[in-house]
Amino acid sequence: MTWVNQSLSTEFVFLAYPTHPELQLLVFLGISLLYIMILTGNILIVAAIQMESRLHTPMYYLLGSLSIVEIWYTATVVPHMLVNTMKMHKAITLLGCATQMLFFIGLGSTDCFLLAVMAYDRYVAICHPLQYPLIMTQKFCANLVMASIAIGFILSLQLVTFIFRLPFCHSRGIEHFFCDVPPVMRLTCTHSRLHELSVLVAGTLAIAFPFILIAISYALITVAILGIRSTSGRRRAFSTCSSHLMVVLLQYGCCMFMYLRPNASYSPKQDQLLSLVYTLGTPLLNPLIYTLRNSEVKGALKRVLTRNAFSKKSYA
């Protein structure tokens, strides 16, 4: 009850936004353009997978789930960023900050676990091709997606509850664009090794653990691919994993640098730039990588766009 009363009266102020009107407009237009591209790219992938029967396979079901998570992931912070860019008073309540962090970390963790599930899917497809239809059933894939969401939000809830139970100092200025873990932790009055370790453990479970699963899957995949005698067979097997591997490297490169490091190495300006990369860059590049490097998705997108253009012309 005390925390609820405090949350109604306490405000955080974001300090990372530009104050010059012309620069504010430029940032607003830039973020808006990127957000529209993110939504368009991921929605097109979901639509192509939904409308094309040949893409109704476990691999593309998981890709569609990843795109849906990316849409919600960006929606938790980007619209609020756009509003704050043009506002004079860029503030958020304590309760609003906790809610934003809960969904941002929860969906980000879900993203990581979904990438691990997609790596497992490729492992089964390449290392156990005959058992693949029996293992990767529609029900099993749906259960893996639901488990990724559940684990992601359980870890996020525990982390957010831990952070917002700590006492905050009188300073309410967040050196960031939204409520992320490192900048909010800087506002707490309690800076002990135990608290830093607790956040590091939560980050390890959400980021490092699925990355280890991905690494194991790809180690086994590499052994299986090297065992293929024909060069064309090895190239074909690797091509089914290359897009996913690029997305993994991009996603985990940013996340590990941001969350799996000592609090002493925190740099506000550096983290602000990095946050834009994993909040806007990664959700934008994911559909581009899968589209440009996957002929089936590329072909499905062309058919969907052609079909829509033809239907509009017929209607006119």
Side-chain angles (χ1 to χ4, degrees), residues 198-262:
S198 300
V199 174
L200 192 62
V201 168
T204 301
L205 290 174
I207 300 171
F209 179 68
F211 182 75
I212 291 169
L213 295 179
I214 292 171
I216 293 171
S217 297
Y218 273 105
L220 296 171
I221 287 170
T222 302
V223 171
I225 290 176
L226 292 176
I228 299 174
R229 293 183 178 181
S230 66
T231 305
S232 60
R234 285 197 297 268
R235 190 182 299 113
R236 189 165 54 250
F238 181 74
S239 67
T240 65
C241 305
S242 58
S243 298
H244 177 259
L245 194 56
M246 290 177 67
V247 171
V248 166
L249 294 175
L250 179 67
Q251 174 92 354
Y252 280 92
C254 294
C255 288
M256 286 183 174
F257 183 80
M258 187 72 179
Y259 298 107
L260 300 184
R261 59 175 181 176

Side-chain angles (χ1 to χ4, degrees), residues 28-46:
F28 179 84
L29 293 175
I31 294 176
S32 298
L33 179 62
L34 289 173
Y35 190 44
I36 290 169
M37 292 171 66
I38 289 167
L39 292 178
T40 303
N42 284 290
I43 288 171
L44 280 175
I45 283 183
V46 174

Side-chain angles (χ1 to χ4, degrees), residues 10-303:
T10 303
E11 277 191 342
F12 292 119
V13 178
F14 297 108
L15 304 177
Y17 292 92
T19 55
H20 196 281
E22 292 182 359
L23 192 55
Q24 285 179 343
L25 180 61
L26 187 64
V27 171
F28 179 84
L29 293 175
I31 294 176
S32 298
L33 179 62
L34 289 173
Y35 190 44
I36 290 169
M37 292 171 66
I38 289 167
L39 292 178
T40 303
N42 284 290
I43 288 171
L44 280 175
I45 283 183
V46 174
I49 292 170
Q50 185 69 29
M51 296 172 68
E52 287 289 319
S53 58
R54 71 180 67 187
L55 299 184
H56 293 176
T57 62
M59 182 175 76
Y60 293 112
Y61 172 79
L62 296 173
L63 175 58
S65 301
L66 182 69
S67 290
I68 292 170
V69 170
E70 295 279 20
I71 291 169
W72 285 107
Y73 173 73
T74 52
T76 59
V77 294
V78 177
H80 192 251
M81 286 172 62
L82 289 172
V83 172
N84 277 334
T85 303
M86 304 306 293
K87 279 172 62 178
M88 290 294 294
H89 187 57
K90 311 173 195 303
I92 189 171
T93 63
L94 184 68
L95 183 59
C97 187
T99 304
Q100 186 183 69
M101 188 186 291
L102 172 68
F103 282 95
F104 181 73
I105 299 299
L107 290 166
S109 301
T110 300
D111 224 352
C112 292
F113 281 101
L114 273 178
L115 289 173
V117 170
M118 292 173 76
Y120 175 73
D121 171 74
R122 293 299 81 208
Y123 157 73
V124 176
I126 292 172
C127 299
H128 304 283
L130 297 179
Q131 287 80 30
Y132 182 76
L134 300 176
I135 297 173
M136 299 303 293
T137 61
Q138 185 176 359
K139 183 179 179 181
F140 184 58
C141 289
N143 288 339
L144 288 175
V145 171
M146 294 305 296
S148 298
I149 296 171
I151 295 171
F153 274 92
I154 288 170
L155 292 173
S156 177
L157 182 61
Q158 291 178 337
L159 179 60
V160 171
T161 302
F162 168 76
I163 291 173
F164 284 87
R165 273 183 160 177
L166 299 174
F168 287 94
C169 300
H170 295 295
S171 174
R172 292 286 185 264
I174 300 178
E175 293 278 353
H176 211 55
F177 299 104
F178 55 90
C179 290
D180 204 356
V181 174
V184 173
M185 278 294 292
R186 298 284 292 181
L187 301 182
T188 59
C189 298
T190 309
H191 296 287
S192 68
R193 187 67 181 167
L194 177 62
H195 292 99
E196 186 178 334
L197 187 62
S198 300
V199 174
L200 192 62
V201 168
T204 301
L205 290 174
I207 300 171
F209 179 68
F211 182 75
I212 291 169
L213 295 179
I214 292 171
I216 293 171
S217 297
Y218 273 105
L220 296 171
I221 287 170
T222 302
V223 171
I225 290 176
L226 292 176
I228 299 174
R229 293 183 178 181
S230 66
T231 305
S232 60
R234 285 197 297 268
R235 190 182 299 113
R236 189 165 54 250
F238 181 74
S239 67
T240 65
C241 305
S242 58
S243 298
H244 177 259
L245 194 56
M246 290 177 67
V247 171
V248 166
L249 294 175
L250 179 67
Q251 174 92 354
Y252 280 92
C254 294
C255 288
M256 286 183 174
F257 183 80
M258 187 72 179
Y259 298 107
L260 300 184
R261 59 175 181 176
N263 201 34
S265 62
Y266 174 73
S267 171
K269 295 297 181 184
Q270 189 180 58
D271 284 11
Q272 290 164 18
L273 180 60
L274 187 62
S275 71
L276 293 178
V277 173
Y278 66 75
T279 306
L280 296 170
T282 306
L284 175 64
L285 290 174
N286 284 359
L288 285 176
I289 290 170
Y290 276 110
T291 302
L292 294 175
R293 297 187 63 84
N294 192 306
S295 57
E296 288 186 319
V297 175
K298 213 186 310 186
L301 284 173
K302 286 181 182 177
R303 285 188 291 273

